Amino acid sequence: MARSYPHPDPGEVELFQVLAALSDPVRLEMVRTLASRDAVNSLDLGPHLAKSTVTHHTRILREAGLTCTRPEGRACWISLRRDLLDVRFPGLLAVILASATPA
Amino acid sequence: MARSYPHPDPGEVELFQVLAALSDPVRLEMVRTLASRDAVNSLDLGPHLAKSTVTHHTRILREAGLTCTRPEGRACWISLRRDLLDVRFPGLLAVILASATPA
């Protein structure tokens, strides 16, 4: 049976939760990586991190509504929910990415 | 002796700490109130909150670099550090205020 991961509906996504998800340097860097790609293998989001740490951070991003997690075999592909973010919080992603210092 | 409150220098203000400070509905609402005024008596930032709760939240905002706290007698006047925020994180405050749902 395929794994599935719950994603909040657009109307459930709250600004303060999105900001909380982004209030961590590791997750900010993950979002920066995701912003330049369509989808990223979750392990490539934290090549120097333990798998459990990557899972922890990608879960917070997903539950906040920032990302979509799509399982494929033993891998998970992560992508930004750009359409949702652009509608709910216009300009937020661009401003935060522009402000974030590269790691 | 006058009370004094430490404020981070502009170069010490980190994006993830600013986002963490904003990742709480009470503090988001405080920043919304501050955005429309020059300075606000701290007690007016949380008229329905315990004074210790207001102090807790205004401290987090100040330590993150979002606000300036100026004591005057027994009162504290709080103001946004707009110049700092506009230079360090251009557009961030405007985007977040536009995205925040009024309480």
Side-chain angles (χ1 to χ4, degrees):
Chain A
M1 191 173 122
R3 291 163 292 163
S4 75
Y5 296 88
H7 294 81
D9 289 332
E12 296 172 332
V13 175
E14 298 284 351
L15 177 62
F16 70 90
Q17 288 172 320
V18 167
L19 298 176
L22 293 170
S23 68
D24 178 282
V26 171
R27 292 193 294 273
L28 261 184
E29 185 59 26
M30 286 178 165
V31 168
R32 170 188 290 280
T33 300
L34 290 165
S36 62
R37 311 265 291 277
D38 286 337
V40 178
N41 185 311
S42 62
L43 296 181
D44 292 335
L45 283 178
H48 308 298
L49 301 175
K51 190 179 173 193
S52 60
T53 304
V54 173
T55 301
H56 165 75
H57 287 302
T58 55
R59 176 181 178 170
I60 290 175
L61 291 171
R62 171 174 54 78
E63 290 182 344
L66 277 157
T67 56
C68 174
T69 295
R70 180 173 57 79
E72 190 178 286
R74 298 176 69 171
C76 274
W77 292 87
I78 316 286
S79 56
L80 276 184
R81 297 178 72 179
R82 288 177 192 278
D83 290 353
L84 180 159
L85 296 169
D86 287 347
V87 168
R88 291 275 285 139
F89 314 115
L92 182 65
L93 195 59
V95 160
I96 285 177
L97 289 172
S99 292
T101 310
Chain B
M1 191 174 122
R3 291 163 293 162
S4 75
Y5 296 88
H7 294 81
D9 290 332
E12 297 172 331
V13 175
E14 297 285 351
L15 177 62
F16 71 90
Q17 289 173 318
V18 167
L19 297 177
L22 293 170
S23 68
D24 178 283
V26 170
R27 292 194 294 273
L28 261 184
E29 184 59 26
M30 286 178 164
V31 168
R32 171 187 289 281
T33 301
L34 289 165
S36 61
R37 312 263 291 277
D38 285 338
V40 178
N41 186 312
S42 62
L43 297 181
D44 292 335
L45 283 179
H48 307 298
L49 301 175
K51 190 181 173 192
S52 60
T53 303
V54 172
T55 301
H56 166 75
H57 287 302
T58 56
R59 176 181 178 170
I60 290 175
L61 291 171
R62 170 173 55 78
E63 291 182 345
L66 276 158
T67 56
C68 174
T69 295
R70 181 172 57 80
E72 191 179 285
R74 298 177 69 174
C76 275
W77 291 88
I78 317 286
S79 56
L80 277 183
R81 295 178 74 178
R82 288 176 192 278
D83 290 353
L84 182 159
L85 296 169
D86 287 346
V87 168
R88 291 275 284 139
F89 315 114
L92 181 65
L93 194 60
V95 161
I96 285 177
L97 289 171
S99 292
T101 310

